[in-house]
Amino acid sequence: MNMPKRVEHQMTDKGYVPVYTTAVVEQPWSSYSETDHSVWARLFERQRALLAGRASSEFLDAMAAMEMSPDRIPKFDELNPILRRATGWELIGVEGLLPELAFFDHLANRRFPVTWWIRKPGQMDYLSEPDLFHDLFGHVPLLMNPVFADYMEAYGRGGVKAHGVGEEALVHLTRLYWYTVEFGLIRQDDGLRIYGSGIVSSKGESIYSLESDAPNRIGFDLERIMRTRYRIDTYQKTYFVIDSFEQLMESTRPDFLPIYDRLSKLDSIPAGDVLDGDRVYNRGTGEGWLEDGDV
Ligand code: HBI
Ligand code: FE
């Protein structure tokens, strides 16, 4: 498999990782090795077993509707007709992390960038940047859900605007992405469930985010989230819980400019804090937390 060319490194919200070109690449499906396909199959089977009873019903329904093959890396060309028919979204192949504006512009146009390469067998449990499994298994299924699909487009539009406002607005918006799209929980009648991509694609965090006493679990509040710092190198200290995807979509309706202006006058909130006024589902014990390192 031809390794992607590493063009530059950049401090992004996923830490100091190589940022590739904004180039859109064809999925080199025939170049995947048997090892690549077996990494996909092992990760897929492991998460599918773990997520029963832990992932949100919308995620499980979407995963069933997409009919992703469990034993071979799915072909983007085969998934795109299903996705387009459901919500008008499509996958595009990329080398990896994109500069933020390019990423936002894709989302604003219902294109989800999926990294074309998959991690090595030795990286089953952790890698510093999103690979095909994180993007395709973690992010893509929920794009089948019409309300979440609308939210992701709205987020992209908001990101393009925020890019024009400035760095501070981007920091606030990135936190919203982090605590919903990547690490969000949702309340169901039968308990809390996972919908965040960073969690559903991670064995350890699929268990920790719901069952550990260490983290806080707090009800969704847009401005509270936009002020809250987060972790890129450990499990989250706090998970935010939405009532529904409609609630998430509704939160993007107001003009964010006055919100950015208000937040610019307020301090950020450490990742592990619980505030008066928080809707607390779980006040974490903080066991295992690292003192510094919130971003
Ligand atoms: N690029 N391909 C890709 N995937 C991401 O998830 C991604 C990105 N660039 C920037 C980024 N995420 C984050 O900074 C978002 O908060 C914008
Ligand atoms: Fe992601």
Side-chain angles (χ1 to χ4, degrees):
M1 173 170 86
N2 56 319
M3 281 306 292
K5 53 196 174 314
R6 291 184 183 270
V7 285
E8 65 180 274
H9 283 69
Q10 178 185 335
M11 176 49 84
T12 71
D13 69 317
K14 290 182 172 66
Y16 193 69
V17 291
V19 175
Y20 299 101
T21 66
T22 56
V24 176
V25 299
E26 279 302 305
Q27 182 189 23
W29 197 84
S30 54
S31 75
Y32 292 136
S33 66
E34 279 314 304
T35 303
D36 292 328
H37 287 298
S38 78
V39 166
W40 168 269
R42 287 166 56 208
L43 287 169
F44 190 100
E45 283 313 325
R46 189 171 79 172
Q47 286 311 103
R48 178 157 63 175
L50 266 177
L51 292 175
R54 291 192 175 94
S56 71
S57 52
E58 294 85 352
F59 179 88
L60 297 172
D61 294 348
M63 187 50 91
M66 287 211 86
E67 297 176 343
M68 280 189 197
S69 60
D71 48 20
R72 311 293 285 168
I73 292 174
K75 293 181 178 172
F76 296 179
D77 293 346
E78 291 176 1
L79 296 178
N80 271 332
I82 300 168
L83 199 49
R84 282 196 197 99
R85 201 169 25 254
T87 58
W89 275 83
E90 65 172 329
L91 309 184
I92 53 168
V94 293
E95 296 286 357
L97 282 178
L98 302 174
E100 283 180 327
L101 187 55
F103 180 66
F104 292 138
D105 183 61
H106 283 310
L107 300 189
N109 291 284
R110 298 208 169 210
R111 294 187 299 263
F112 194 84
V114 177
T115 302
W116 65 266
W117 49 267
I118 195 164
R119 68 191 74 180
K120 295 289 164 243
Q123 299 173 301
M124 292 289 280
D125 293 329
Y126 182 74
L127 77 167
S128 63
E129 56 188 305
D131 73 332
L132 181 136
F133 185 75
H134 171 88
D135 286 337
L136 193 51
F137 184 92
H139 281 285
V140 168
L142 270 182
L143 294 174
M144 294 284 284
N145 175 286
V147 182
F148 191 80
D150 289 350
Y151 172 70
M152 287 295 279
E153 177 187 342
Y155 182 89
R157 293 185 182 287
V160 171
K161 273 191 229 155
H163 200 271
V165 174
E167 184 53 34
E168 206 175 6
L170 281 175
V171 168
H172 289 127
L173 200 68
T174 294
R175 292 169 179 161
L176 176 61
Y177 189 86
W178 198 263
Y179 280 119
T180 57
V181 179
E182 293 294 355
F183 292 98
L185 300 180
I186 186 169
R187 182 166 59 88
Q188 295 185 171
D189 298 342
D190 51 355
L192 302 189
R193 293 290 184 272
I194 301 163
Y195 72 91
S197 311
I199 309 177
V200 291
S201 56
S202 155
K203 171 190 169 192
E205 201 148 9
S206 293
I207 297 166
Y208 177 86
S209 64
L210 290 179
E211 292 156 37
S212 169
D213 292 334
N216 305 314
R217 297 180 186 93
I218 294 172
F220 175 89
D221 172 320
L222 181 78
E223 296 189 23
R224 164 63 161 104
I225 285 178
M226 289 176 129
R227 293 176 58 199
T228 305
R229 299 166 65 198
Y230 54 84
R231 308 291 307 181
I232 54 173
D233 52 357
T234 63
Y235 296 156
Q236 298 308 307
K237 292 181 175 177
T238 297
Y239 296 96
F240 287 94
V241 183
I242 60 173
D243 296 326
S244 66
F245 291 126
E246 286 74 13
Q247 178 196 28
L248 198 51
M249 184 58 216
E250 276 313 303
S251 75
T252 66
R253 292 230 186 272
D255 175 7
F256 277 15
L257 288 185
I259 297 176
Y260 295 140
D261 189 47
R262 193 161 45 247
L263 294 180
S264 66
K265 302 178 179 72
L266 300 172
D267 291 337
S268 64
I269 299 167
D273 280 15
V274 178
L275 307 187
D276 297 340
D278 280 343
R279 198 168 99 198
V280 179
Y281 289 87
N282 182 63
R283 182 183 293 270
T285 62
E287 185 189 349
W289 286 0
L290 301 180
E291 267 322 297
D292 57 1
D294 291 1
V295 296

